[in-house]
C-alpha cells in the first residue's frame, strides 16, 4: 500500500501528494469563498449567534444524511465517546461563535489578522497551564506578531473592542479545543470508524445542540429579511445556506489536510490561508487599509511563520534530548 501511495501517478506526483494538494486547494478555496459569503450574509442579516448555529446545524444535517444513506462509514457511537467529545465541542462552539461575533463587528481582514496569532496563544496557554516552556528564540519570535496585531488594531478603521476581544477569545477557545481533543481522544484513536471526518461530524452535532439555547436566548428567532433595501428574503436565505455548507466543507477539508501533513506544515498552511483571506476580502469589500495596517498584517503573518518554524526546531531538540536520556 505504501508503494501505491508514493508511486508517481500524475505529472511525477504520487497519489499521496495529489491527495494533500487536493485538500489544500479545497481548504483554501472553500475558506476564501466562505469568508466573503459569510460577511455578506452578516451585512444583510446581522444575527451572528443564530447564523453560526445554523452553520453547525447544516453541517450536522449534512453528515447525518451521509451516514444514513451509507455514503460515509458510520462512527461507532457510545456514551464514553460522547463524553470525551463534550469539552472539545464546547470550545469549538465558543471559538466558532466568537469568530462570527468578531466578523459581524469589524472588517474580516482585521479578525483574521488577530486570528493569525492563534499559535502564540497556544504557546502561552502551554506555559501557563501545562508548564511547558520553549527556548527564548520561540518567545522572541512572538514579538513581531504581538506588535503586528497591535499595529493593525490601532490603524484599523473598523476597529471595535468587541471585534478585537471576540477574535482573541476565539484564539483561546480553538487552542483549548485542540488541547482537549488531543487529551480526550487519545484512547479512542484505535477505533477505525472514528475517522477525522467522523470526529469532526460528531463535534459539529454536539456543538449545534450546545449553541442552540444560547442563540435563542441572545437573538431569538429572527425573521429572514435583509436590512439592506432591495434585497429579498430569498437572497438572504440563499446566502445563509451557502455560507453554512461552505463552513462545514472547509473544516472537513482542513481535516483532510491535517491527516497527511505535519503539525508544522498545517500551522504554516493555516497562516498562509489567513493571508489569502485577508487579501481576497480587501479586494472583495474594498476595505480601506492604511500603510500601518499592512505593516501590521505583514508582521503578524510573517512573525507567525517564523514563530512556527522556531517552535518546530525547538520541539525537535526537546524530542532528541528526551530520546538520548531514555
Ligand atoms: C469560524 O467561524 O469558526 C471561523 O471562521 C473559524 O476560523 P478558522 O477556521 O479560520 O480558524
Amino acid at each position: 500500500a505504501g508503494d501505491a501511495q508514493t508511486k508517481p501517478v500524475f505529472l511525477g506526483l504520487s497519489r499521496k501528494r495529489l491527495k494533500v494538494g487536493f485538500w489544500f486547494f479545497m481548504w483554501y478555496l472553500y475558506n476564501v469563498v466562505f469568508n466573503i459569503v459569510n460577511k455578506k450574509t452578516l451585512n444583510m442579516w446581522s444575527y451572528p449567534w443564530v447564523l453560526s448555529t445554523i452553520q453547525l446545524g447544516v453541517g450536522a444535517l449534512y453528515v447525518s444524511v451521509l451516514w444514513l444513506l451509507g455514503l460515509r462509514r458510520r462512527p461507532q457511537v457510545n456514551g464514553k465517546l460522547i463524553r470525551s467529545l463534550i469539552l472539545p465541542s464546547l470550545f469549538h462552539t465558543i471559538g466558532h461563535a466568537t469568530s462570527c461575533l468578531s466578523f459581524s463587528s469589524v472588517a474580516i481582514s482585521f479578525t483574521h489578522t488577530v486570528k493569525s496569532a492563534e499559535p502564540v496563544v497556544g504557546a502561552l496557554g502551554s506555559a501557563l497551564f501545562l508548564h511547558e516552556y520553549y527556548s527564548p528564540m520561540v518567545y522572541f519570535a512572538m514579538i513581531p506578531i504581538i506588535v503586528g496585531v497591535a499595529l493593525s488594531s490601532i490603524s484599523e478603521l473598523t476597529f471595535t473592542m468587541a471585534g478585537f476581544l471576540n477574535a482573541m477569545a476565539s484564539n483561546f477557545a480553538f487552542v483549548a479545543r485542540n488541547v482537549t481533543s488531543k487529551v480526550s481522544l487519545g484512547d479512542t484513536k484505535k477505533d477505525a470508524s472514528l475517522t477525522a471526518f467522523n470526529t469532526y461530524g460528531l463535534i459539529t452535532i454536539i456543538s449545534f445542540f450546545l449553541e442552540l439555547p444560547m442563540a435563542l436566548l441572545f437573538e431569538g428567532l429572527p425573521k429572514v429579511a435583509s436590512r439592506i433595501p432591495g434585497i429579498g428574503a430569498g437572497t438572504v436565505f440563499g446566502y445563509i445556506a451557502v455560507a453554512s455548507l461552505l463552513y462545514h466543507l472547509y473544516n472537513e477539508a482542513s481535516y483532510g489536510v491535517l491527516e497527511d501533513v505535519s503539525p508544522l506544515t498545517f500551522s504554516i498552511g493555516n497562516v498562509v490561508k489567513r493571508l489569502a483571506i485577508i487579501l481576497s476580502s480587501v479586494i472583495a469589500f474594498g476595505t480601506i487599509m492604511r500603510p500601518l495596517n499592512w505593516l501590521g498584517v505583514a508582521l503578524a503573518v510573517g512573525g507567525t511563520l517564523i514563530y512556527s518554524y522556531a517552535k518546530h526546531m525547538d520541539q525537535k531538540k526537546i524530542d532528541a534530548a528526551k530520546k538520548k536520556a531514555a
Side-chain angles (χ1 to χ4, degrees), residues 122-189:
L124 292 180
S126 303
L128 280 176
F129 300 110
L130 306 173
H131 301 289
E132 278 177 12
Y133 304 100
Y134 293 95
S135 70
M137 183 59 210
V138 173
Y139 297 102
F140 194 66
M142 288 181 180
I143 297 171
I145 306 168
I146 296 164
V147 173
V149 170
L151 276 184
S152 267
S153 303
I154 55 170
S155 56
E156 173 62 41
L157 287 171
T158 64
F159 181 88
T160 64
M161 205 35 136
F164 172 76
L165 291 178
N166 276 313
M168 220 42 202
S170 85
N171 283 341
F172 281 94
F174 284 137
V175 164
R177 176 196 61 185
N178 299 344
V179 172
T180 51
S181 318
K182 228 192 242 168
V183 173
S184 57
L185 286 174
D187 53 336
T188 44
K189 269 228 174 95

Side-chain angles (χ1 to χ4, degrees), residues 16 54 65 67 77 95 110 128 131 140 167 196 259 291 314 325:
K16 189 174 173 194
I54 294 174
V65 168
W67 288 333
V77 180
F110 179 62
L128 280 176
H131 301 289
F140 194 66
E259 229 171 18
D314 215 35

Side-chain angles (χ1 to χ4, degrees), residues 254-306:
S254 80
Y255 277 84
V257 171
L258 192 56
E259 229 171 18
D260 281 328
V261 303
S262 69
L264 174 71
T265 308
F266 188 79
S267 66
I268 289 182
N270 207 17
V271 180
V272 175
K273 175 200 87 178
R274 301 216 189 279
L275 188 61
I277 297 170
I278 291 168
L279 296 177
S280 55
S281 74
V282 165
I283 296 169
F285 294 101
T287 313
I288 298 168
M289 298 278 283
R290 296 167 172 163
L292 259 192
N293 209 338
W294 279 122
L295 182 65
V297 170
L299 285 173
V301 171
T304 304
L305 293 178
I306 297 170

Side-chain angles (χ1 to χ4, degrees), residues 2-26 256-257 260-262 265:
D3 253 355
Q5 286 286 311
T6 47
K7 205 171 74 201
V9 287
F10 183 69
L11 294 176
L13 295 169
S14 66
R15 194 179 292 270
K16 189 174 173 194
R17 283 201 163 233
L18 286 172
K19 189 179 145 225
V20 176
F22 170 77
W23 284 123
F24 248 110
F25 179 76
M26 297 316 283
V257 171
D260 281 328
V261 303
S262 69
T265 308

Side-chain angles (χ1 to χ4, degrees), residues 6 31 35 72 85 96 115 117 136 166 198 218 222 237 243 249 258 261-262 266-267 269 272 283 293-294 302 308 323:
T6 47
N31 221 310
N35 273 278
R72 185 174 284 176
L85 287 173
H96 177 47
K115 276 165 88 61
N166 276 313
N198 279 350
F218 296 136
F237 187 84
L249 293 176
L258 192 56
V261 303
S262 69
F266 188 79
S267 66
V272 175
I283 296 169
N293 209 338
W294 279 122
S308 304
K323 228 174 160 185

Side-chain angles (χ1 to χ4, degrees), residues 31 34 95-96 99 103 112 115 118 174 247 250-251 273-274:
N31 221 310
F34 161 77
H96 177 47
S99 293
F103 291 144
H112 279 283
K115 276 165 88 61
E118 187 187 312
F174 284 137
Y247 174 72
Y250 95 67
N251 274 293
K273 175 200 87 178
R274 301 216 189 279

